[in-house]
Amino acid sequence: MEEVGFLGLGIMGKAMSMNLITHGYKVTVWNRTLSKCDELVKHGATVGETPAAVVKKCKYIIAMLSDPAAALSVVFDKDGVLEQMCSGKGYIDMSTVDADTSSKICEGITSKGGRFVEAPVSGSKKPAEDGQLVILAAGDKGLYEEALQAFDIMGKKSFYLGGVGNGAKMKLVVNMIMGSMMNAFSEGIVLADKSGLDPHTLLDVLDLGAIANPMFKMKGPAMIKDDYAPAFPLKHQQKDMRLALSLGDENAVSMPVAAASNEAFKKARSMGLGDLDFSAVHETVKAASKST
Ligand SMILES: NC(=O)C1=CN([C@@H]2O[C@H](COP(=O)(O)OP(=O)(O)OC[C@H]3O[C@@H](n4cnc5c(N)ncnc54)[C@H](OP(=O)(O)O)[C@@H]3O)[C@@H](O)[C@H]2O)C=CC1
Ligand SMILES: O=CCCC(=O)O
């Protein structure tokens, strides 16, 4: 799998494709905003003018796109993946989408004779840059095994979870927990501050106890400074909460904590914070505590 196509060069796709290039892969890239290909080209990538052009050239194609609408559009629309998909090619979608979207993409790819793996990832911008993602794969087992070498470059651990949909569902469960934790964490920082405690001391205390975790440690100091430079854009976290809640609906799982967290992320989007890091949900707690 030394020659791959890569569709979507956002925060994650750029870092992941760069890693493949620096590990010796020949990579052909495409991005909706084509100018974002320039930096990859400087490092040796070639550009495909359309998703179809990338598929024509490459046996294996990886996608890392924002949401279900983007993932579907790149496959099914004009100049899309399906136009050149055929037997012998493999399509690996690493975007975070719901199981239904993934199944539709799988049907499209396999109807043309191709093979499909979904492989959403846990881990954000820095793990993507460092090749330390956790890969949650499902679908065609043979394609998964052929992709492992590339997964090992992009990630520190790959899980094979069975049939299409299981990777998507695992990712949504993980991000549902993460989004709820971020809301509780934001409330804790504001509560500490408003009750006269030093929020930095709160971070030190948290870091030594049973709920210590890399997210609190990494995001906490920046949140206290109101620094929300995007690693994981808030609009994507809200998309994941929405999709996780829908998975909860389908399975009759009551999730009041996740539902409240989704409302906070929606509020943050309405405040114009969607392109900032998801930790900017902290601003909704600050705004609410100002009005009391
Ligand atoms: N950032 C993170 O920490 C993580 C993100 N994820 C998931 O990975 C995916 C990508 O995230 P991230 O890189 O942060 O997102 P970005 O917003 O940085 O990038 C999104 C990418 O999708 C493309 N895109 C959006 N809409 C369309 C469309 N209609 N047609 C074609 N391309 C489109 C964008 O193109 P353009 O440049 O033209 O806008 C861009 O390449 C998401 O599903 C996200 O939930 C998973 C783990 C961590
Ligand atoms: O989907 C984004 C996940 C971000 C992370 O795992 O840190």
Side-chain angles (χ1 to χ4, degrees), residues 8-274:
L9 303 175
I11 292 171
M12 297 297 284
K14 178 184 161 190
M16 292 156 75
S17 56
M18 191 71 90
N19 253 327
L20 293 175
I21 292 169
T22 55
H23 283 81
Y25 277 67
K26 287 183 184 150
V27 182
T28 300
V29 294
W30 172 85
N31 193 66
R32 179 181 60 175
T33 309
L34 272 176
S35 58
K36 287 196 193 165
C37 298
D38 294 351
E39 201 181 331
L40 278 298
V41 168
K42 278 189 205 141
H43 288 82
T46 51
V47 179
E49 291 292 314
T50 62
V54 174
V55 177
K56 186 173 184 186
K57 191 167 170 211
C58 303
K59 181 172 175 187
Y60 300 103
I61 305 96
I62 297 172
M64 192 54 164
L65 300 156
S66 53
D67 54 21
L72 289 166
S73 159
V74 163
V75 171
F76 290 99
D77 286 358
K78 186 173 177 304
D79 295 327
V81 166
L82 283 199
E83 289 187 9
Q84 292 293 332
M85 183 50 62
C86 60
S87 165
K89 294 190 187 277
Y91 190 69
I92 301 163
D93 194 343
M94 304 186 78
S95 323
T96 304
V97 297
D98 56 305
D100 254 17
T101 299
S102 207
S103 295
K104 279 185 194 134
I105 293 172
C106 178
E107 279 165 30
I109 299 292
T110 52
S111 74
K112 294 278 184 168
R115 292 177 296 157
F116 176 75
V117 159
E118 65 185 13
V121 301
S122 206
S124 192
K125 184 179 178 198
K126 180 84 168 62
E129 288 167 351
D130 296 345
Q132 292 291 305
L133 296 169
V134 178
I135 293 166
L136 307 171
D140 188 289
K141 188 77 189 289
L143 177 58
Y144 169 76
E145 278 160 8
E146 288 162 46
L148 264 179
Q149 192 192 36
F151 287 166
D152 285 347
I153 290 167
M154 295 186 280
K156 62 181 174 187
K157 170 86 182 163
S158 297
F159 290 87
Y160 179 75
L161 300 168
V164 169
N166 286 345
K169 289 178 198 168
M170 181 66 83
K171 174 63 185 165
L172 293 178
V173 172
V174 171
N175 272 26
M176 182 272 283
I177 297 170
M178 189 179 74
S180 299
M181 280 172 64
M182 178 54 84
N183 274 280
F185 185 44
S186 297
E187 290 178 4
I189 293 173
V190 173
L191 179 60
D193 186 37
K194 290 278 172 184
S195 57
L197 299 171
D198 181 349
H200 291 99
T201 309
L202 169 68
L203 298 188
D204 292 342
V205 173
L206 287 173
D207 198 39
L208 290 167
I211 58 168
N213 70 77
M215 182 176 86
F216 291 176
K217 198 176 171 75
M218 204 162 49
K219 305 274 185 193
M223 288 166 70
I224 291 170
K225 286 190 290 182
D226 302 339
D227 173 0
Y228 309 113
F232 179 34
L234 187 143
K235 62 187 175 190
H236 296 332
Q237 171 68 83
Q238 197 266 314
K239 170 256 303 177
D240 295 348
M241 289 310 268
R242 172 168 55 81
L243 297 177
L245 285 168
S246 169
L247 185 61
D249 285 352
E250 284 163 34
N251 291 283
V253 177
S254 172
M255 303 196 295
V257 176
S261 299
N262 186 43
E263 289 304 316
F265 286 118
K266 277 159 60 180
K267 173 80 185 157
R269 281 183 58 195
S270 79
M271 291 163 66
L273 308 176

